[in-house]
Each structure stands twice: as structure tokens, then as C-alpha cells.
Amino acid sequence: MKEKANKELTKLLQGNKNFVNGTPTTKNMSLETLQKFAFHQEPYACVLTCSDSRVVPEIIFDCGIGELFVVRVAGMTTGPNIIESVEYAVKCLQVPLLILLGHDDCGVMKYANDGYPTEPQYFKSLMHCVYPVFEDIPEKTDSNFVAKKHTHMVEKVLLEKSPIIKKAVEENRLIIANCHFDHSTGLVSLID
Ligand SMILES: [Zn+2]
């Protein structure tokens, strides 16, 4: 399963290069593809990312219909419905790969970076998901750095709060790849 996950990750990162180079190859965007999957789905990866209009997984990874199970929410924040959506992909669709995709210029990261540690007037549940990241960041910094730290925190939260995800990782049925999307280059990179 781990080999399969790594193979899918390599494929998606190659797809991202196709996007960056302006040479997308996917043909899985037709009605014919949709009809093939009319009564079932077999995505090979779950992508948890932000709702941001510039972060469109299928486009930046050069994918089509039926390939990715995508969960999007402002700031890639991890409330109960989001965690259960990822759990569905892991438990019911048996995806071997979970990509956590943070990104540059994220509005939620900027709002949190400006507001922390003040109790927010708006977007309370989003901020309560993001604020703990600042406990590991000693000084005010730029929001892109915060986004990368936050991506790591999201992995930690998923493993802590979801026995389904934790067990799948422990049993080598799932790998989690922490990634960051750079708007200026279009590149998706793995983050340490
Ligand atoms: Zn965002």
C-alpha cells in the first residue's frame, strides 16, 4: 500500500509539473469519464486544502473526474465535519494517500497572523483551529511561514482526533504528505 501511495504522490507531483509547464495531459474531464464512474468512485488520493479560488487541486495536479477526493474549507481548518470527510475517504474509499495542501497568501492565515492572540470578533471557529499554531512560533512572522507550520499542525490534529486516520497510518494503509502551493510559480512542494 505504501508503494502505491508513493507512486500516486509521484504521479501527482509530475502532474503539477505538467501544469506549471503548460502541458496538461489529463483526458479525464469528459462526460464519458463521468459516466464510467456513474455508480462508483475509486479516487486514489484525498486532498485536504483551502477553499481559496486559486487552489484548485484537479487543475494544479493535472487530474480529472474520479481521481481525487477533495475536501476544501477556508484555511484547511479541521472541524468535526472536515475530519469526518477525510475519514470517509480513508475508511470507505480506502485512499492510500492524503495530501494536506496549504498555500501562499491564505486569507485565513493572514487574518490569524494579524489577530493572534486577541479573541476574534468574526470567524471564531476558523481562528480557534489556527491559533494553536502560534504557540510554536515565537515571533510575529509572515503568513506563508504560518501556513506551512499550520499544515504540519493539521496532520497532528488529524492523528490525534481521528482513530480511523491514526490506525490507517500505523498499519501502513495511508501516507500523509504535507505540501505547500506557491502561487508565484504554480509549484506544489513537499514541506519538511
Ligand atoms: Zn487559504
Side-chain angles (χ1 to χ4, degrees), residues 89-103:
V90 173
K91 188 175 174 62
C92 301
L93 303 175
Q94 275 120 38
V95 295
L97 172 64
L98 168 60
I99 292 183
L100 306 179
L101 183 62
H103 71 103

Side-chain angles (χ1 to χ4, degrees), residues 21-116:
N21 295 330
T23 55
T25 60
T26 191
K27 294 175 181 64
N28 299 334
M29 290 194 278
S30 64
L31 177 60
E32 200 185 342
T33 304
L34 179 63
Q35 287 168 339
K36 197 174 118 193
F37 292 115
F39 302 106
H40 78 291
Q41 59 170 326
E42 300 167 14
Y44 54 79
C46 175
V47 179
L48 173 58
T49 189
C50 185
S51 304
D52 194 291
S53 60
R54 300 161 291 181
V55 184
V56 187
E58 284 85 349
I59 295 176
I60 64 177
F61 286 120
D62 188 20
C63 289
I65 294 165
E67 297 189 52
L68 303 177
F69 186 92
V70 177
V71 182
R72 290 176 71 178
V73 59
M76 192 168 62
T77 44
T78 43
N81 292 7
I82 297 302
I83 294 174
E84 287 186 10
S85 299
V86 176
E87 286 181 329
Y88 178 81
V90 173
K91 188 175 174 62
C92 301
L93 303 175
Q94 275 120 38
V95 295
L97 172 64
L98 168 60
I99 292 183
L100 306 179
L101 183 62
H103 71 103
D104 277 358
D105 196 49
C106 180
V108 173
M109 295 305 129
K110 288 199 283 190
Y111 195 87
N113 202 26
D114 292 344
Y116 181 82

Side-chain angles (χ1 to χ4, degrees), residues 73-80 82-83 108-109 112 120 123-134 150 153-154 157 161:
V73 59
M76 192 168 62
T77 44
T78 43
I82 297 302
I83 294 174
V108 173
M109 295 305 129
F123 313 123
K124 284 178 193 286
S125 60
L126 297 180
M127 291 306 112
H128 286 160
C129 285
V130 177
Y131 271 9
V133 81
F134 293 103
H150 179 252
M153 192 185 79
V154 168
V157 168
K161 293 197 175 170

